[in-house]
């Protein structure tokens, strides 16, 4: 079967990045690299962290349909480059780790994309995870909790939801979903 475009999203702190790392370690997946108009941060590498492009280049790509999805946050654009993803899909399954609105844009233009929402065991557990990070203040955590409620309200637009209450179990569940979608499990 043709390679899959797999979109993972969910609230901040739910463990999306950790799940994606585990999937990549298991092999058979490529991670999409997004474009952004923001400046690189320390340690970020062109073509690995992001493709760093100018606002003018980004807007030209928008005009010619060059993104599967894109958004503007804090006066910077972020988007998934269509050509990069399509080239990767020729070789392997591709994982996108993007926010909910972007995921729904991808599904609209690519109905065969597999959308999986990662959910926390509870709002309280998510708040505890965000506090444990130690990287956000109470106000930021409150905004992330509010955003979580919006994101979870979109779960019925996804093909599957997976609760990340146990990392290894969640990864295995995602792998089974992907295998089922590809028709590998009989």
């Amino acid at each position: 079967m043709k390679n899959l475009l797999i979109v993972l999203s969910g609230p901040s702190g739910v463990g999306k990045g950790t799940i994606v790392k585990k999937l990549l370690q298991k092999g058979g997946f490529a991670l999409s690299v997004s474009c952004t108009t923001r400046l690189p941060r320390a340690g970020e590498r062109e073509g690995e962290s992001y493709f760093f492009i100018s606002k003018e280049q980004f807007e030209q790509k928008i005009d010619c349909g060059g993104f599967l999805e894109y958004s503007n946050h804090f006066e910077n654009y972020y988007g998934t480059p269509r050509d990069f993803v399509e080239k990767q899909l020729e070789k392997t399954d591709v994982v996108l780790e993007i926010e909910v609105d972007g995921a729904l844009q991808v599904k609209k233009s690519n109905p065969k994309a597999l959308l999986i929402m990662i959910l926390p065991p509870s709002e309280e557990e998510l708040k505890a995870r965000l506090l444990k990070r130690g990287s956000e203040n109470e106000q930021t955590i409150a905004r992330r909790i509010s955003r979580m409620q919006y994101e979870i309200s979109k779960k019925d637009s996804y093909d599957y939801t997976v609760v990340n209450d146990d990392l290894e179990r969640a990864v295995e569940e995602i792998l089974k979903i992907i295998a089922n979608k590809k028709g590998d499990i009989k």
Side-chain angles (χ1 to χ4, degrees), residues 135-173:
S135 60
E136 287 108 358
N137 61 34
E138 280 289 328
Q139 186 179 22
T140 302
I141 291 171
R143 277 198 316 264
R144 291 190 186 281
I145 294 293
S146 176
R147 177 71 183 174
M148 173 195 72
Q149 293 161 346
Y150 166 75
E151 291 172 329
I152 290 174
S153 77
K154 301 295 183 185
K155 71 181 180 185
D156 291 340
S157 299
Y158 279 67
D159 300 306
Y160 297 90
T161 58
V162 173
V163 175
N164 186 15
D165 52 357
D166 175 270
L167 177 62
E168 295 304 323
R169 188 208 53 77
V171 169
E172 287 306 313
E173 185 175 343

Side-chain angles (χ1 to χ4, degrees), residues 2-8 20 23-24 27-34 68 80-98 106 112-116 174 178 182:
K2 188 176 175 182
N3 292 319
L4 290 177
L5 179 57
I6 303 151
V7 181
L8 297 179
V20 167
L23 291 173
L24 294 174
F29 300 99
L31 180 63
S32 176
V33 178
S34 296
L68 294 176
T80 303
R82 182 180 305 278
D83 56 349
F84 179 82
V85 171
E86 289 174 353
K87 285 178 187 167
Q88 295 299 312
L89 279 170
E90 290 173 9
K91 301 179 269 187
T92 191
D93 296 328
V94 176
V95 177
L96 300 180
E97 180 191 342
I98 57 177
V106 169
K112 292 184 180 181
L114 175 62
L115 269 60
I116 303 172
I174 291 167
I178 292 166
K182 291 182 71 107

Side-chain angles (χ1 to χ4, degrees), residues 58-80:
F58 201 103
E59 289 172 344
Q60 287 173 350
K61 279 183 148 313
I62 291 171
D63 291 342
C64 69
F67 292 105
L68 294 176
E69 59 83 29
Y70 68 91
S71 61
N72 190 315
H73 293 287
F74 307 110
E75 300 185 24
N76 287 301
Y77 282 115
Y78 295 84
T80 303

